[in-house]
Amino acid sequence: MVSEESGNMIEFFGDVAQWFGDGANWTGAEGILNRLSEHIQITLGATAVAAVLALPPAVWLGHRRIGGTFVVAAVNIGRAIPSFAIVVLFLPISIRLGLGFGFWPTFLALLFLAAPPMFTNAYAGVAGVDADLVEASRGMGMTDREILTKVEVPMASPVILAAVRVAAVQVVATATLGALVGWGGLGFFIVRGFATRDSVVLFAGALLVAVLAILTEAVLGTLERRVVPPTLRERSASIETVVA
Amino acid sequence: MRKPFRRTVVGATIVAFALIASACGSGDDGAAKDGPTITIGSAAFSENALVAEIYAQALEADGYNVERKLNTGPREVYAPALESGELDLVPEYIGTVLRYLGGDATSDSDETHAALRLAWESKDIVVLDYAAAQDKNGFAVTKETADSLGLAKVSDLAAHNGTLVLGGPPECPERDFCLKGLESVYELSFKEFRSLDAGGPITVAALEGGEIQVGLMFTSAATILAKGFVLLEDDKGLQPAENIAPAVRKEIVDAYGDDFKTTLNDVSKKLTTIELVSLNKFVEVDGKDPEQVAAEWLKAIGVTE
Amino acid sequence: MTGPALIAAGFFSWEWVVNHLDDIWDRTIEHLILTGIAIVVGAVISLVLSVVALRYRRTYTPITWFAGLLYTIPSLALFAFLVPVTGLSILTAEIGLVSYTLLILIRNIVAGIDGVPPATVESARGMGYTTRGLFIAVELPLALPVIMAGIRIAAVTTIGLVTVTALIGQGGLGFFIATGLTLIHSPVGTTQIVVGTVLSVVLAVAVDMSLVGVERLTTPWSRKRAAT
């Protein structure tokens, strides 16, 4: 239903509430539930794959403390890649590779978005572990592998987990771009609302994404708190501000 | 923003060149016209952008100052921009836009055109002469689908209600000449609607890949023939006359007068559906640069040298 | 269609690039201008909000909460939402772009000022600096590394977001990406996408390095860099 954006805010929010209240908007392939599930799936997928791709090499390089400047430079470039560009760039590649449109260009773009900050922060976290502590551990007879797994990774865990959390939230917001290349997700409502000048649908879509992003932040934040010992938490907050 | 100036290295010189060059205008014949810059917009699909480019170059050849803002978006985005003055000229399709403005479009070009002129008068938008070229919404299937389901006309789809997936631009479900019309006039129902693009490469890929069975394609799209798609016949006459006509802000027409109108009308005169399809072919199928295609066509029809 | 050869063939056309050098230049400048405005306006607003947050500590949480909320709104939605209100204009683009800089800039300005050693502040006060003088002449300069780190991140992020504004009639280099989207089956389209993407990245890296240079020039006493 096309509704003009009324000057009356209350009326507008009433329209939005009505849209959410309409059961038909929740069901079906184009409904909220399906779009939400698509969006969550791609977020989980992209964040997990990015973590698997980025964290092990970053942790290893950080442990070895090699390649610092290269790492930072490479990751800066990664951060500089606009997601909109990647999504569109992968579209013809994906089509020519027979992978179709929609999902794969979006997924790849999200990988490019999530991996670099995870990589930098994991590297910085591990490499930044107090050198004296590492020395002491070596002195106590720990093997290289033990230092990595029992000292460095636990010490770096606040930073690493924070990076995963921040990346996941960014993925949630950016996955909306997928709707521009024929994918679905919550961006579907945004694109639909924009194309039909239906501010209600547009707002509803944006609201859903914002809520999902906040939920993602909350859930991962709680998980973080469970996993990370309290003494290490303060450190992560100050690093996050500067490095994230 | 687009100014014809030479490439240089030092920043300051570039600005100087830009100022000098833009003052000189872009054509070698005709003095630069004094007046407001004409901002030309278009819908976000290659044909409309191409037609807009053709009008733009025709105007530039006559010395007008033109700024391009092509691929602006769907009509819901560029039409308000035209009405508010952010765009000055858009190449329109008389039937759909008349319906968009709330009027009744028929299959008669003259009637529809006159009604459109009237509908837009109050918003100070002038619709110039229409071209013979028409581009209507069409619904295409792959040859395999047509053969296996026995489809030749749009009404043939009714036998498969609820089983087929339709693909089209995001605004399609709201449009009378798109999904809304298919549902009301043809009494069709689709299993799903996929939001893709306006008869563009994503829709083509979706048809080829089988992700949709029916796709919205424009009747003048060269891709249909090139890909061997079957355009279903609009047997219930859902689609109105859709001649191309430039919609221009009144203040621009008033500022420049009859010469301006003649420049554009002369181009429209030469634009037939067959010409349009072949122009589309150069861009869509042969992959040529739209700007080059526009330039070569204008030369071929004698508007430019 | 299969095979890497088919992907490479007909994907990129140098001819197109050579024919459109002035367009490419124009769009790059446009991109820089849009970014510049966003950073400058964003910095001013962030500075004001940071001063408030530093003065009245209780406001820090709501301020960053609000900036964070803006940051979560998907860029496409924010721009699209503003279009009926402010049109297909630079204003629409800038409102969105500025909003996304606030969170990182406010966080870094506050963290930077907080990071100034209390001892330094005390001795400066002892030397007779007023609160305002202290802020301008002592705290801000010492906070500069952290603030610059924030500006660098904000600049790079903004350059990326400017590409999205192509969908609302602005765009800078995003224009090539959006146009390419309608022509992806032809080299004219794919070349534009590549040009738009590559130049956005190049621009971001160039701006980032320039800002590092600016930072070095303005803070010769501070060689310690944040791990960015």
Side-chain angles (χ1 to χ4, degrees):
Chain A
M1 206 163 79
V2 179
S3 47
E4 289 282 40
E5 193 198 13
S6 46
N8 192 337
M9 287 276 273
I10 301 178
E11 211 181 298
F12 178 70
F13 285 118
D15 287 336
V16 173
Q18 213 176 4
W19 186 85
F20 276 111
D22 186 353
N25 286 328
W26 286 82
T27 55
E30 298 160 43
I32 297 176
L33 289 173
N34 188 36
R35 296 304 181 202
L36 195 58
S37 110
E38 284 176 340
H39 209 105
I40 294 176
Q41 279 177 50
I42 213 178
T43 302
L44 284 175
T47 311
V49 174
V52 164
L53 289 176
L55 294 180
V59 165
W60 180 249
L61 286 172
H63 168 68
R64 289 286 191 194
R65 284 167 180 77
I66 55 173
T69 23
F70 158 76
V71 162
V72 172
V75 161
N76 272 345
I77 292 183
R79 181 197 281 154
I81 299 178
S83 302
F84 175 49
I86 295 293
V87 170
V88 177
L89 183 63
F90 280 132
L91 180 62
I93 297 177
S94 172
I95 291 178
R96 283 173 213 216
L97 280 173
L99 290 173
F101 54 92
F103 180 78
W104 285 106
T106 313
F107 188 78
L108 283 164
L110 293 173
L111 279 185
F112 268 76
L113 175 73
M118 283 192 207
F119 190 85
T120 335
N121 285 324
Y123 180 88
V126 172
V129 171
D130 197 350
D132 293 335
L133 183 60
V134 176
E135 267 315 299
S137 313
R138 206 164 278 145
M140 288 201 298
M142 283 193 178
T143 64
D144 209 41
R145 151 95 66 90
E146 284 178 327
I147 294 179
L148 177 63
T149 55
K150 294 201 182 140
V151 180
E152 288 177 323
V153 169
M155 290 293 292
S157 63
V159 174
I160 297 177
L161 290 174
V164 172
R165 171 171 50 89
V166 170
V169 172
Q170 285 195 299
V171 166
V172 169
T174 313
T176 53
L177 290 175
L180 293 169
V181 290
W183 187 62
L186 296 172
F188 169 81
F189 298 116
I190 296 171
V191 169
R192 167 83 139 249
F194 184 51
T196 56
R197 262 211 126 184
D198 185 347
S199 304
V200 173
V201 173
L202 175 54
F203 185 83
L207 186 64
L208 282 165
V209 176
V211 166
L212 185 61
I214 293 173
L215 272 172
T216 307
E217 163 95 34
V219 167
L220 290 179
T222 322
L223 262 157
E224 227 176 290
R225 246 164 283 148
R226 291 267 168 82
V227 172
V228 176
T231 44
L232 293 175
R233 275 184 225 149
E234 226 178 73
R235 191 166 166 263
S236 87
S238 55
I239 295 180
E240 183 192 331
T241 312
V242 169
V243 172
Chain B
M1 267 208 300
R2 207 159 173 262
K3 296 180 192 129
F5 65 85
R6 299 207 179 32
R7 181 170 67 95
T8 59
V9 180
V10 181
T13 335
I14 292 164
V15 173
F17 264 96
L19 286 171
I20 295 170
S22 57
C24 290
S26 51
D28 4 59
D29 53 334
K33 299 276 198 290
D34 265 319
T37 304
I38 306 169
T39 309
I40 300 187
S42 83
F45 57 94
S46 56
E47 175 190 282
N48 202 252
L50 176 61
V51 174
E53 178 66 30
I54 289 174
Y55 285 133
Q57 287 187 19
L59 287 172
E60 279 178 329
D62 265 1
Y64 295 93
N65 236 343
V66 171
E67 194 187 307
R68 291 159 176 74
K69 271 195 174 177
L70 305 183
N71 291 308
T72 323
R75 184 173 289 103
E76 283 78 354
V77 174
Y78 68 73
L82 181 66
E83 290 171 2
S84 72
E86 284 168 315
L87 296 174
D88 295 317
L89 187 156
V90 187
E92 267 294 12
Y93 303 92
I94 59 179
T96 311
V97 70
L98 176 60
R99 190 79 201 91
Y100 169 81
L101 293 171
D104 274 315
T106 68
S107 51
D108 184 313
S109 303
D110 281 325
E111 222 176 273
T112 308
H113 185 247
L116 177 61
R117 274 210 160 120
L118 208 61
W120 240 334
E121 223 179 339
S122 54
K123 301 257 175 84
D124 281 337
I125 294 179
V126 175
V127 183
L128 299 180
D129 293 350
Y130 64 84
Q134 292 199 42
D135 176 13
K136 311 186 185 191
N137 281 353
F139 297 95
V141 298
T142 59
K143 187 152 193 322
E144 293 77 41
T145 311
D147 288 341
S148 67
L149 297 181
L151 305 171
K153 315 191 286 270
V154 176
S155 49
D156 289 340
L157 289 170
H160 304 277
N161 270 349
T163 62
L164 304 174
V165 180
L166 173 72
E171 62 272 15
C172 179
E174 308 292 331
R175 295 282 189 90
D176 285 333
F177 303 131
C178 201
L179 184 52
K180 237 176 157 182
L182 289 177
E183 287 171 340
S184 56
V185 173
Y186 283 99
E187 286 166 12
L188 298 182
S189 66
F190 291 94
K191 182 165 132 207
E192 191 191 334
F193 170 75
R194 294 283 308 264
S195 176
L196 306 169
D197 57 5
I202 302 181
T203 306
V204 172
L207 273 171
E208 284 185 311
E211 301 191 31
I212 61 175
Q213 284 75 52
V214 184
L216 173 94
M217 299 232 41
F218 298 125
T219 53
S220 52
T223 325
I224 299 179
L225 278 169
K227 296 282 184 182
F229 291 154
V230 173
L231 198 59
L232 300 174
E233 188 196 322
D234 179 27
D235 49 315
K236 292 204 179 157
L238 172 64
Q239 308 298 335
E242 297 277 25
N243 303 73
I244 294 179
V248 192
R249 289 186 53 74
K250 186 163 178 298
E251 56 182 275
I252 299 288
V253 177
D254 288 344
Y256 292 115
D258 284 335
D259 280 342
F260 173 80
K261 290 198 270 190
T262 313
T263 305
L264 294 175
N265 288 336
D266 280 346
V267 172
S268 301
K269 257 188 216 128
K270 298 286 171 82
L271 190 61
T272 64
T273 308
I274 296 183
E275 290 285 322
L276 186 60
V277 175
S278 91
L279 286 169
N280 280 335
K281 173 180 170 296
F282 290 136
V283 173
E284 292 173 28
V285 181
D286 299 340
K288 290 177 78 170
D289 189 339
E291 289 166 24
Q292 233 179 307
V293 173
E296 285 168 2
W297 188 70
L298 285 173
K299 216 180 266 178
I301 62 171
V303 168
T304 57
E305 268 111 64
Chain C
M1 274 205 169
T2 54
L6 267 160
I7 301 172
F11 200 86
F12 192 77
S13 153
W14 277 112
E15 194 190 326
W16 186 91
V17 176
V18 168
N19 284 338
H20 289 87
L21 283 171
D22 35 356
D23 282 337
I24 295 175
W25 180 260
D26 279 338
R27 293 290 174 187
T28 308
I29 299 293
E30 190 182 84
H31 205 112
L32 279 171
I33 293 177
L34 284 168
T35 307
I37 296 175
I39 297 294
V40 167
V41 174
V44 168
I45 296 178
S46 299
L47 193 58
V48 169
L49 288 173
S50 298
V51 167
V52 169
L54 285 163
R55 229 339 180 58
Y56 308 100
R57 284 286 160 171
R58 289 241 190 89
T59 61
Y60 181 71
T61 314
I63 288 179
T64 45
W65 183 85
F66 179 68
L69 189 66
L70 282 175
Y71 196 74
T72 4
I73 303 176
S75 53
L76 185 57
L78 186 54
F79 294 131
F81 201 68
L82 289 168
V83 166
V85 182
T86 46
L88 293 177
S89 61
I90 296 188
L91 180 63
T92 307
E94 288 301 340
I95 293 177
L97 293 170
V98 166
S99 305
Y100 291 117
T101 64
L102 297 180
L103 181 62
I104 184 77
L105 288 178
I106 292 175
R107 278 231 246 164
N108 275 40
I109 294 176
V110 170
I113 301 283
D114 274 349
V116 174
T120 316
V121 175
E122 276 316 300
S123 46
R125 216 168 254 148
M127 289 201 289
Y129 275 96
T130 60
T131 319
R132 185 196 282 173
L134 182 72
F135 185 72
I136 297 177
V138 179
E139 290 179 303
L140 267 183
L142 285 175
L144 215 45
V146 177
I147 296 179
M148 282 305 289
I151 292 183
R152 281 169 59 199
I153 296 174
V156 169
T157 315
T158 304
I159 289 178
L161 285 171
V162 169
T163 57
V164 181
T165 64
L167 297 167
I168 56 161
Q170 297 305 310
L173 295 164
F175 170 79
F176 296 122
I177 299 171
T179 305
L181 184 55
T182 67
L183 291 168
I184 56 170
H185 45 277
S186 101
V188 171
T190 49
T191 304
Q192 289 189 62
I193 299 173
V194 172
V195 166
T197 309
V198 169
L199 285 181
S200 299
V201 175
V202 166
L203 200 63
V205 172
V207 166
D208 194 41
M209 296 204 302
S210 317
L211 287 174
V212 170
V214 167
E215 189 186 337
R216 293 234 174 99
L217 284 173
T218 52
T219 58
W221 63 82
S222 174
R223 285 294 163 214
K224 228 196 246 178
R225 298 273 168 267
T228 36

